[in-house]
Amino acid sequence: MKIGIIGVGKMATAIIQGLKKGQDQLIISGSNLDRSKEIAEKLEVAYAQSHQDLLDHVDLVILGIKPQVYETVLAPLTFKQPVMSMAAGVSLAKLAELVGSDLPIIRIMPNMNAQILKSTTALTYNDKVSSDLKAKCQQIVASFGSCFEIAEKDFDTFTALAGSSPAYIYLFIEAMAKAGVAHGLPKDKALEIVSQTVLASANQLLQGQDSPHSLIDKICSPGGTTIAGLLELERTGLTAAVSAAIDKTIEKAKKM
């Protein structure tokens, strides 16, 4: 398949790195021809003379432009192929207005871990997308991480749980590392210890044999150190704070 990418920022670049592992032919179009040539040489992909030139020669187009310029960039263009968008806040209905209501339209919501080909990505479609195209879209998303097919109405929740949450996780890791420093460990050593522990703990969960609650119970011994720390986390409101942060993130997303 010939896949075109309009707009080649950090996220689109990360996606291209994943797609390059496959057999698809990739063509890009940047903000201008000189920029397209520069990026294409760096990424070792083909480039189009213009956005419309790209659209005239590809089987599927991925939009990597910022949501605030969608109308300006897309209005002069004529689309004839399926369109995949990664823009936050641009609904399937809005995309249909911009590119054509008779076209198959796909929305994806990757997160920053796409940069290491470990994105957690949401995927949804309009009713024009065939089963074969759905499978192809899932393959595209899987090239740079994990894929979760969800209803569009749940995209704001997904954004909070997968898009924004890395920042919250980094804050937790940073707090743990600072505590290590307070008790005498060098900062780099404390960060490595906490990061490796978080990674292994997540992998333990993904094996699917135990729930978070059961794993907590396995770690806590009666009258031990872990239960003392857990009770302090509950006393100071960790669970409520995390839940409130997700609520606030979703609330903000719905207003954008």
Side-chain angles (χ1 to χ4, degrees):
M1 176 180 279
K2 290 183 179 180
I3 300 176
I5 301 95
I6 294 179
V8 196
K10 290 182 179 179
M11 189 61 73
T13 298
I15 289 172
I16 288 169
Q17 298 295 357
L19 289 172
K20 283 173 63 178
K21 298 185 298 181
Q23 302 300 313
D24 297 307
Q25 181 181 346
L26 306 180
I27 307 171
I28 67 163
S29 181
S31 55
N32 56 61
L33 184 55
D34 288 340
R35 182 65 174 154
S36 296
K37 291 178 180 178
E38 178 186 344
I39 298 173
E41 182 177 353
K42 180 179 178 181
L43 297 178
E44 299 179 328
V45 296
Y47 65 90
Q49 297 294 311
S50 66
H51 295 341
Q52 188 61 57
D53 178 52
L54 180 145
L55 292 174
D56 291 341
H57 293 91
V58 300
D59 304 307
L60 178 146
V61 61
I62 300 174
L63 301 177
I65 55 178
K66 296 183 183 299
Q68 57 266 34
V69 300
Y70 259 50
E71 295 198 32
T72 302
V73 173
L74 302 184
L77 303 177
T78 302
F79 291 80
K80 63 179 182 180
Q81 61 280 97
V83 177
M84 177 181 286
S85 166
M86 66 180 81
V90 183
S91 67
L92 290 171
K94 182 61 177 179
L95 286 164
E97 291 179 14
L98 294 171
V99 304
S101 59
D102 58 334
L103 292 175
I105 300 174
I106 306 100
R107 280 189 69 190
I108 63 171
M109 186 61 61
N111 69 7
M112 69 172 297
N113 294 327
Q115 295 175 19
I116 57 170
L117 304 185
K118 293 289 185 181
S119 176
T120 307
T121 304
L123 176 64
T124 195
Y125 328 85
N126 69 0
D127 58 7
K128 303 293 192 299
V129 177
S130 68
S131 57
D132 286 346
L133 182 55
K134 286 182 180 181
K136 181 61 182 179
C137 292
Q138 291 164 0
Q139 178 190 336
I140 288 171
V141 170
S143 74
F144 55 90
S146 56
C147 175
F148 292 85
E149 188 172 329
I150 64 172
E152 187 176 32
K153 67 179 180 62
D154 296 321
F155 259 46
D156 289 337
T157 301
F158 181 90
T159 298
L161 293 180
S164 300
S165 68
Y168 312 151
I169 294 166
Y170 295 140
L171 180 63
F172 173 78
I173 291 172
E174 176 75 5
M176 292 278 286
K178 284 180 177 177
V181 173
H183 289 275
L185 283 175
K187 180 67 175 293
D188 59 345
K189 184 66 67 177
L191 271 175
E192 183 179 3
I193 290 168
V194 176
S195 298
Q196 290 288 356
T197 303
V198 169
L199 176 62
S201 300
N203 283 331
Q204 178 94 315
L205 269 180
L206 289 173
Q207 290 181 10
Q209 297 176 353
D210 294 284
S211 67
H213 184 78
S214 64
L215 288 168
I216 290 169
D217 285 347
K218 288 181 179 181
I219 299 169
C220 292
S221 56
T225 57
T226 305
I227 190 62
L230 280 172
L231 288 172
E232 184 64 12
L233 288 172
E234 292 297 337
R235 185 189 71 79
T236 54
L238 175 68
T239 301
V242 171
S243 181
I246 297 300
D247 291 345
K248 188 64 69 172
T249 306
I250 294 171
E251 178 185 330
K252 179 67 174 179
K254 290 185 181 300
K255 293 178 180 178
M256 294 180 68

